Amino acid sequence: MVSVDEAVDILLEKVNIERIIEEKNIKDIYGYIVAEDIVSDINIPPFDRSPYDGYCFCADENKKRYEVVQTIYAGDIGGKIESGECAAIMTGAAIPDGADTVIKKEDVKYIDGFIEFECDIKKGQNIVLCGEDVSKGEKILAKGDIVDSGSIGVLAYAGIEKIKVFKRLSATIINTGSEVINPGNKYENGKIYNAGGYILYSKLKSYRADVSDIVLCEDDIEKISDTIEKNMISSDIVITTGGVSVGDKDFMPEVIEKTGAKIIFRNVDIRPGGLCIAAVKNNKLIMCLSGNPTAAVSVFDSVISEFLNVTSGKGKKKKTQAIFKGRFDKNSKRDRYINGYAYIDDTKLYVRANDDCSRKARMFSGIKSNCTIRIKSGTKPVDGDIVDIIPFPEFI
């Protein structure tokens, strides 16, 4: 049995999945991880521009009346503005030579080819300067950043069509157990719906992995080992559920031996979900988790998620702590990982437990949870205590 930190270190040392870099069009990179620093080759905006519809001129504190000599639309290059002249200018249009100030259209009166105004003006007002948003040579994105819609907008604004990103890890989920059926099938007595497979599918997707399938496999050593080997051809990671305890049909150690994979650790010192097997073959990971969905998710959130972050190019997650709200009365000799809800109040990060561990069946606690709370062994946190949390990707 190993600790959470030891489990992560072993996975990172023993499982060396190749980190492939690919170049992709920016319209296809949402959620991908940037593989190199990206800098802008141009100033953004590339010229001084007007943020409003209005009039531009060379400001003179003694002048309140200017002759309108031209109109400049976005995309046009206007002629030089002389003293006493102004140009009608539209939002986004380039400021012409000779002008240094813009006044909004609603702040002036237009009379026979001239504008007049009474409000005070300040030289340089209402002009977005060249490079004010991003200057030429400035870093837009750093290696390891996750691309979001705002990032794509800035890349497009900088004229960048393609960037290099880390290829997503590929994964397959294999749920073992003759009693397991997928949602959509008619319920039969003694069967259970495959909650674990679908939770793990969504967890893998949230960590930017491409999941090829959720495969059901009955309790048969030959069939399970064949299914694992078949899916390892196209997957970097194969996650199985079931067969890791001590029952008559808990034969995953035999299955792993049959595949030729090497076991690198067995069991993690946590509750729930301590029973698991990690194995490697051809630098690909086989992770065998409990058939109990809550237990399987506990190992995923505490161990596998960190491995995915590093291997996918994101890097290790920073330690996050929050102020505990409420109380947790269940003592444990091992660190316990439970569902929680983190929130910010007056700039401080708080967390409350969604799971009091008073029941054996605790699937419902996952609803509206956005993090996992680590309850250290031998502790019962109360209101105001500082606890470690693992935020889910959607919360970060």
Side-chain angles (χ1 to χ4, degrees):
M1 183 176 294
V2 296
S3 69
V4 167
D5 289 341
E6 288 170 337
V8 172
D9 289 342
I10 292 170
L11 291 182
L12 293 175
E13 178 187 352
K14 302 294 186 181
V15 186
N16 299 305
I17 297 173
E18 183 182 3
R19 291 167 57 185
I20 298 173
I21 294 174
E22 55 186 359
E23 189 172 57
K24 297 181 75 72
N25 190 290
I26 62 170
K27 64 182 176 62
D28 300 319
I29 62 172
Y30 182 87
Y32 276 78
I33 297 174
V34 180
E36 62 182 7
D37 291 349
I38 307 296
V39 300
S40 177
D41 291 331
I42 64 171
N43 290 308
I44 304 177
F47 47 77
D48 294 348
R49 66 173 178 85
S50 174
Y52 304 112
D53 291 340
Y55 298 87
C56 61
F57 47 85
C58 181
D60 183 337
E61 62 181 16
N62 297 316
K63 278 186 173 292
K64 299 287 187 179
R65 187 171 186 267
Y66 292 84
E67 181 183 5
V68 182
V69 296
Q70 59 180 306
T71 299
I72 306 173
Y73 296 96
D76 292 346
I77 301 297
K80 184 177 181 179
I81 299 295
E82 304 292 345
S83 178
E85 296 178 342
C86 73
I89 191 166
M90 306 302 148
T91 301
I95 304 296
D97 290 343
D100 60 14
T101 301
V102 172
I103 191 170
K104 295 179 183 179
K105 185 176 182 179
E106 56 266 34
D107 291 336
V108 306
K109 292 180 180 178
Y110 179 85
I111 304 172
D112 296 330
F114 288 82
I115 61 165
E116 297 179 354
F117 53 88
E118 297 180 357
C119 60
D120 293 332
I121 58 171
K122 183 178 179 182
K123 187 182 288 288
Q125 74 177 29
N126 296 332
I127 290 180
V128 180
L129 298 177
C130 174
E132 184 174 316
D133 199 353
V134 178
S135 60
K136 183 177 179 179
E138 184 177 343
K139 186 188 297 183
I140 298 175
L141 293 172
K143 179 180 177 180
D145 283 347
I146 299 175
V147 179
D148 56 18
S149 56
S151 305
I152 293 172
V154 175
L155 290 168
Y157 205 0
I160 298 172
E161 181 187 17
K162 298 178 180 180
I163 69 167
K164 291 180 179 180
V165 295
F166 288 108
K167 185 177 181 179
R168 290 181 171 175
L169 298 173
S170 56
T172 299
I173 298 167
I174 301 172
N175 300 112
T176 70
S178 302
E179 76 281 11
V180 181
I181 58 175
N182 274 332
N185 290 285
K186 184 178 179 180
Y187 177 72
E188 302 174 36
N189 285 335
K191 302 292 185 180
I192 56 170
Y193 284 116
N194 186 19
Y198 283 80
I199 293 173
L200 292 170
Y201 180 94
S202 63
K203 289 279 185 181
L204 284 163
K205 296 287 280 187
S206 74
Y207 281 91
R208 301 161 296 279
D210 287 330
V211 188
S212 61
D213 205 358
I214 301 174
V215 181
L216 294 185
C217 195
E218 61 185 274
D219 290 317
D220 181 279
I221 293 177
E222 294 286 343
K223 290 181 179 179
I224 297 173
S225 60
D226 288 347
T227 303
I228 290 175
E229 290 190 75
K230 176 184 174 182
N231 283 278
M232 286 189 72
I233 296 172
S234 58
S235 296
D236 299 311
I237 302 166
V238 172
I239 295 180
T240 72
T241 64
V244 295
S245 189
V246 292
D248 291 343
K249 290 188 177 182
D250 290 323
F251 35 54
M252 286 311 294
E254 297 174 61
V255 169
I256 295 302
E257 182 179 353
K258 191 168 183 60
T259 65
K262 179 182 178 181
I263 294 177
I264 51 179
F265 68 77
R266 289 190 65 173
N267 303 333
V268 180
D269 192 19
I270 60 172
R271 293 181 64 91
L275 296 174
C276 62
I277 300 171
V280 61
K281 181 180 180 181
N282 298 330
N283 282 322
K284 295 186 175 185
L285 173 65
I286 305 172
M287 197 76 200
C288 307
L289 305 178
S290 169
N292 179 314
T294 303
V297 166
S298 179
V299 175
F300 186 99
D301 288 339
S302 60
V303 177
I304 301 175
S305 66
E306 185 76 326
F307 171 77
L308 291 173
N309 253 10
V310 177
T311 306
S312 64
K314 173 61 181 172
K316 283 194 173 184
K317 291 178 285 190
K318 293 181 180 178
K319 184 177 180 180
T320 303
Q321 293 187 316
I323 302 169
F324 193 79
K325 296 297 289 182
R327 59 186 299 117
F328 187 84
D329 291 327
K330 189 159 185 141
N331 199 358
S332 176
K333 294 180 180 179
R334 298 177 181 171
D335 287 357
R336 185 181 290 274
Y337 287 77
I338 64 172
N339 287 315
Y341 178 77
Y343 59 96
I344 296 173
D345 185 14
D346 193 24
T347 73
K348 294 181 179 179
L349 182 62
Y350 294 89
V351 68
R352 66 169 184 263
N354 282 352
D355 184 354
D356 63 8
C357 295
S358 61
R359 296 175 298 169
K360 293 294 184 184
R362 307 199 306 274
M363 283 286 294
F364 195 76
S365 70
I367 295 179
K368 296 184 180 179
S369 293
N370 60 10
C371 69
T372 297
I373 306 172
R374 176 193 176 199
I375 307 295
K376 293 183 180 180
S377 61
T379 66
K380 297 179 181 180
V382 296
D383 206 77
D385 284 351
I386 303 298
V387 294
D388 296 332
I389 67 170
I390 304 171
F392 297 160
E394 55 267 34
F395 175 72
I396 299 174

PDB file of all heavy atoms in Angstrom, residues 371-389:
ATOM      1  N   CYS A 371     -15.448  19.966  -5.918  1.00  0.00           N
ATOM      2  CA  CYS A 371     -14.105  19.659  -5.436  1.00  0.00           C
ATOM      3  C   CYS A 371     -14.147  18.406  -4.570  1.00  0.00           C
ATOM      4  O   CYS A 371     -15.226  17.921  -4.198  1.00  0.00           O
ATOM      5  CB  CYS A 371     -13.531  20.828  -4.620  1.00  0.00           C
ATOM      6  SG  CYS A 371     -14.358  21.095  -3.033  1.00  0.00           S
ATOM      7  N   THR A 372     -12.958  17.898  -4.283  1.00  0.00           N
ATOM      8  CA  THR A 372     -12.807  16.830  -3.304  1.00  0.00           C
ATOM      9  C   THR A 372     -12.089  17.396  -2.090  1.00  0.00           C
ATOM     10  O   THR A 372     -11.105  18.126  -2.226  1.00  0.00           O
ATOM     11  CB  THR A 372     -11.982  15.664  -3.888  1.00  0.00           C
ATOM     12  OG1 THR A 372     -12.678  15.098  -4.988  1.00  0.00           O
ATOM     13  CG2 THR A 372     -11.753  14.589  -2.852  1.00  0.00           C
ATOM     14  N   ILE A 373     -12.596  17.083  -0.910  1.00  0.00           N
ATOM     15  CA  ILE A 373     -11.971  17.544   0.338  1.00  0.00           C
ATOM     16  C   ILE A 373     -11.134  16.411   0.918  1.00  0.00           C
ATOM     17  O   ILE A 373     -11.600  15.267   1.007  1.00  0.00           O
ATOM     18  CB  ILE A 373     -13.023  17.961   1.375  1.00  0.00           C
ATOM     19  CG1 ILE A 373     -13.990  18.992   0.796  1.00  0.00           C
ATOM     20  CG2 ILE A 373     -12.341  18.522   2.631  1.00  0.00           C
ATOM     21  CD1 ILE A 373     -15.174  19.289   1.712  1.00  0.00           C
ATOM     22  N   ARG A 374      -9.912  16.733   1.298  1.00  0.00           N
ATOM     23  CA  ARG A 374      -9.070  15.752   1.978  1.00  0.00           C
ATOM     24  C   ARG A 374      -9.219  15.925   3.489  1.00  0.00           C
ATOM     25  O   ARG A 374      -8.853  16.952   4.047  1.00  0.00           O
ATOM     26  CB  ARG A 374      -7.608  15.943   1.578  1.00  0.00           C
ATOM     27  CG  ARG A 374      -6.637  15.018   2.320  1.00  0.00           C
ATOM     28  CD  ARG A 374      -5.213  15.474   2.102  1.00  0.00           C
ATOM     29  NE  ARG A 374      -4.261  14.661   2.873  1.00  0.00           N
ATOM     30  CZ  ARG A 374      -3.027  15.059   3.155  1.00  0.00           C
ATOM     31  NH1 ARG A 374      -2.582  16.230   2.721  1.00  0.00           N
ATOM     32  NH2 ARG A 374      -2.225  14.274   3.858  1.00  0.00           N
ATOM     33  N   ILE A 375      -9.775  14.900   4.123  1.00  0.00           N
ATOM     34  CA  ILE A 375      -9.877  14.884   5.587  1.00  0.00           C
ATOM     35  C   ILE A 375      -8.693  14.061   6.103  1.00  0.00           C
ATOM     36  O   ILE A 375      -8.631  12.846   5.903  1.00  0.00           O
ATOM     37  CB  ILE A 375     -11.203  14.266   6.062  1.00  0.00           C
ATOM     38  CG1 ILE A 375     -12.403  14.946   5.385  1.00  0.00           C
ATOM     39  CG2 ILE A 375     -11.302  14.345   7.583  1.00  0.00           C
ATOM     40  CD1 ILE A 375     -12.587  16.395   5.747  1.00  0.00           C
ATOM     41  N   LYS A 376      -7.742  14.703   6.715  1.00  0.00           N
ATOM     42  CA  LYS A 376      -6.536  14.013   7.153  1.00  0.00           C
ATOM     43  C   LYS A 376      -6.858  12.980   8.232  1.00  0.00           C
ATOM     44  O   LYS A 376      -7.769  13.169   9.049  1.00  0.00           O
ATOM     45  CB  LYS A 376      -5.505  15.014   7.679  1.00  0.00           C
ATOM     46  CG  LYS A 376      -4.944  15.933   6.604  1.00  0.00           C
ATOM     47  CD  LYS A 376      -3.881  16.859   7.170  1.00  0.00           C
ATOM     48  CE  LYS A 376      -3.320  17.771   6.096  1.00  0.00           C
ATOM     49  NZ  LYS A 376      -2.271  18.688   6.617  1.00  0.00           N
ATOM     50  N   SER A 377      -6.097  11.898   8.218  1.00  0.00           N
ATOM     51  CA  SER A 377      -6.317  10.813   9.175  1.00  0.00           C
ATOM     52  C   SER A 377      -6.269  11.352  10.606  1.00  0.00           C
ATOM     53  O   SER A 377      -5.441  12.194  10.947  1.00  0.00           O
ATOM     54  CB  SER A 377      -5.257   9.724   8.988  1.00  0.00           C
ATOM     55  OG  SER A 377      -3.963  10.238   9.216  1.00  0.00           O
ATOM     56  N   GLY A 378      -7.174  10.847  11.436  1.00  0.00           N
ATOM     57  CA  GLY A 378      -7.194  11.223  12.841  1.00  0.00           C
ATOM     58  C   GLY A 378      -7.778  12.586  13.130  1.00  0.00           C
ATOM     59  O   GLY A 378      -7.717  13.047  14.270  1.00  0.00           O
ATOM     60  N   THR A 379      -8.369  13.272  12.110  1.00  0.00           N
ATOM     61  CA  THR A 379      -8.924  14.612  12.333  1.00  0.00           C
ATOM     62  C   THR A 379     -10.423  14.629  12.085  1.00  0.00           C
ATOM     63  O   THR A 379     -10.958  13.825  11.331  1.00  0.00           O
ATOM     64  CB  THR A 379      -8.268  15.652  11.415  1.00  0.00           C
ATOM     65  OG1 THR A 379      -8.611  15.372  10.041  1.00  0.00           O
ATOM     66  CG2 THR A 379      -6.757  15.624  11.562  1.00  0.00           C
ATOM     67  N   LYS A 380     -11.086  15.571  12.756  1.00  0.00           N
ATOM     68  CA  LYS A 380     -12.508  15.828  12.564  1.00  0.00           C
ATOM     69  C   LYS A 380     -12.667  17.343  12.405  1.00  0.00           C
ATOM     70  O   LYS A 380     -12.880  18.058  13.388  1.00  0.00           O
ATOM     71  CB  LYS A 380     -13.320  15.338  13.758  1.00  0.00           C
ATOM     72  CG  LYS A 380     -13.272  13.846  13.997  1.00  0.00           C
ATOM     73  CD  LYS A 380     -14.094  13.491  15.230  1.00  0.00           C
ATOM     74  CE  LYS A 380     -14.069  12.008  15.530  1.00  0.00           C
ATOM     75  NZ  LYS A 380     -14.871  11.669  16.736  1.00  0.00           N
ATOM     76  N   PRO A 381     -12.524  17.858  11.179  1.00  0.00           N
ATOM     77  CA  PRO A 381     -12.540  19.308  11.001  1.00  0.00           C
ATOM     78  C   PRO A 381     -13.861  19.936  11.439  1.00  0.00           C
ATOM     79  O   PRO A 381     -14.935  19.363  11.259  1.00  0.00           O
ATOM     80  CB  PRO A 381     -12.317  19.483   9.496  1.00  0.00           C
ATOM     81  CG  PRO A 381     -12.691  18.179   8.885  1.00  0.00           C
ATOM     82  CD  PRO A 381     -12.359  17.143   9.894  1.00  0.00           C
ATOM     83  N   VAL A 382     -13.727  21.122  12.027  1.00  0.00           N
ATOM     84  CA  VAL A 382     -14.895  21.898  12.448  1.00  0.00           C
ATOM     85  C   VAL A 382     -14.842  23.253  11.763  1.00  0.00           C
ATOM     86  O   VAL A 382     -13.886  23.598  11.074  1.00  0.00           O
ATOM     87  CB  VAL A 382     -14.914  22.072  13.981  1.00  0.00           C
ATOM     88  CG1 VAL A 382     -15.056  20.726  14.678  1.00  0.00           C
ATOM     89  CG2 VAL A 382     -13.653  22.791  14.457  1.00  0.00           C
ATOM     90  N   ASP A 383     -15.881  24.014  11.973  1.00  0.00           N
ATOM     91  CA  ASP A 383     -16.031  25.320  11.333  1.00  0.00           C
ATOM     92  C   ASP A 383     -14.780  26.186  11.557  1.00  0.00           C
ATOM     93  O   ASP A 383     -14.354  26.397  12.689  1.00  0.00           O
ATOM     94  CB  ASP A 383     -17.255  26.029  11.923  1.00  0.00           C
ATOM     95  CG  ASP A 383     -17.861  27.032  10.972  1.00  0.00           C
ATOM     96  OD1 ASP A 383     -18.556  26.589  10.055  1.00  0.00           O
ATOM     97  OD2 ASP A 383     -17.606  28.235  11.149  1.00  0.00           O
ATOM     98  N   GLY A 384     -14.163  26.654  10.444  1.00  0.00           N
ATOM     99  CA  GLY A 384     -13.008  27.524  10.533  1.00  0.00           C
ATOM    100  C   GLY A 384     -11.671  26.847  10.337  1.00  0.00           C
ATOM    101  O   GLY A 384     -10.648  27.521  10.140  1.00  0.00           O
ATOM    102  N   ASP A 385     -11.628  25.504  10.385  1.00  0.00           N
ATOM    103  CA  ASP A 385     -10.365  24.788  10.156  1.00  0.00           C
ATOM    104  C   ASP A 385      -9.935  24.906   8.686  1.00  0.00           C
ATOM    105  O   ASP A 385     -10.762  25.050   7.790  1.00  0.00           O
ATOM    106  CB  ASP A 385     -10.520  23.301  10.508  1.00  0.00           C
ATOM    107  CG  ASP A 385     -10.513  23.050  12.008  1.00  0.00           C
ATOM    108  OD1 ASP A 385     -10.210  24.009  12.757  1.00  0.00           O
ATOM    109  OD2 ASP A 385     -10.820  21.921  12.424  1.00  0.00           O
ATOM    110  N   ILE A 386      -8.634  24.841   8.455  1.00  0.00           N
ATOM    111  CA  ILE A 386      -8.086  24.872   7.099  1.00  0.00           C
ATOM    112  C   ILE A 386      -7.927  23.438   6.599  1.00  0.00           C
ATOM    113  O   ILE A 386      -7.327  22.603   7.282  1.00  0.00           O
ATOM    114  CB  ILE A 386      -6.721  25.598   7.056  1.00  0.00           C
ATOM    115  CG1 ILE A 386      -6.854  27.018   7.604  1.00  0.00           C
ATOM    116  CG2 ILE A 386      -6.179  25.626   5.632  1.00  0.00           C
ATOM    117  CD1 ILE A 386      -7.794  27.912   6.822  1.00  0.00           C
ATOM    118  N   VAL A 387      -8.479  23.150   5.412  1.00  0.00           N
ATOM    119  CA  VAL A 387      -8.389  21.810   4.836  1.00  0.00           C
ATOM    120  C   VAL A 387      -7.857  21.895   3.416  1.00  0.00           C
ATOM    121  O   VAL A 387      -7.955  22.933   2.744  1.00  0.00           O
ATOM    122  CB  VAL A 387      -9.768  21.103   4.834  1.00  0.00           C
ATOM    123  CG1 VAL A 387     -10.248  20.836   6.245  1.00  0.00           C
ATOM    124  CG2 VAL A 387     -10.795  21.923   4.057  1.00  0.00           C
ATOM    125  N   ASP A 388      -7.265  20.796   2.951  1.00  0.00           N
ATOM    126  CA  ASP A 388      -6.815  20.699   1.561  1.00  0.00           C
ATOM    127  C   ASP A 388      -7.993  20.290   0.684  1.00  0.00           C
ATOM    128  O   ASP A 388      -8.816  19.452   1.081  1.00  0.00           O
ATOM    129  CB  ASP A 388      -5.709  19.649   1.413  1.00  0.00           C
ATOM    130  CG  ASP A 388      -4.448  20.010   2.179  1.00  0.00           C
ATOM    131  OD1 ASP A 388      -4.205  21.213   2.369  1.00  0.00           O
ATOM    132  OD2 ASP A 388      -3.719  19.075   2.590  1.00  0.00           O
ATOM    133  N   ILE A 389      -8.064  20.877  -0.512  1.00  0.00           N
ATOM    134  CA  ILE A 389      -9.097  20.480  -1.457  1.00  0.00           C
ATOM    135  C   ILE A 389      -8.469  20.265  -2.841  1.00  0.00           C
ATOM    136  O   ILE A 389      -7.388  20.786  -3.141  1.00  0.00           O
ATOM    137  CB  ILE A 389     -10.230  21.522  -1.578  1.00  0.00           C
ATOM    138  CG1 ILE A 389      -9.743  22.832  -2.210  1.00  0.00           C
ATOM    139  CG2 ILE A 389     -10.867  21.786  -0.228  1.00  0.00           C
ATOM    140  CD1 ILE A 389     -10.875  23.798  -2.561  1.00  0.00           C
TER     141      ILE A 389
END
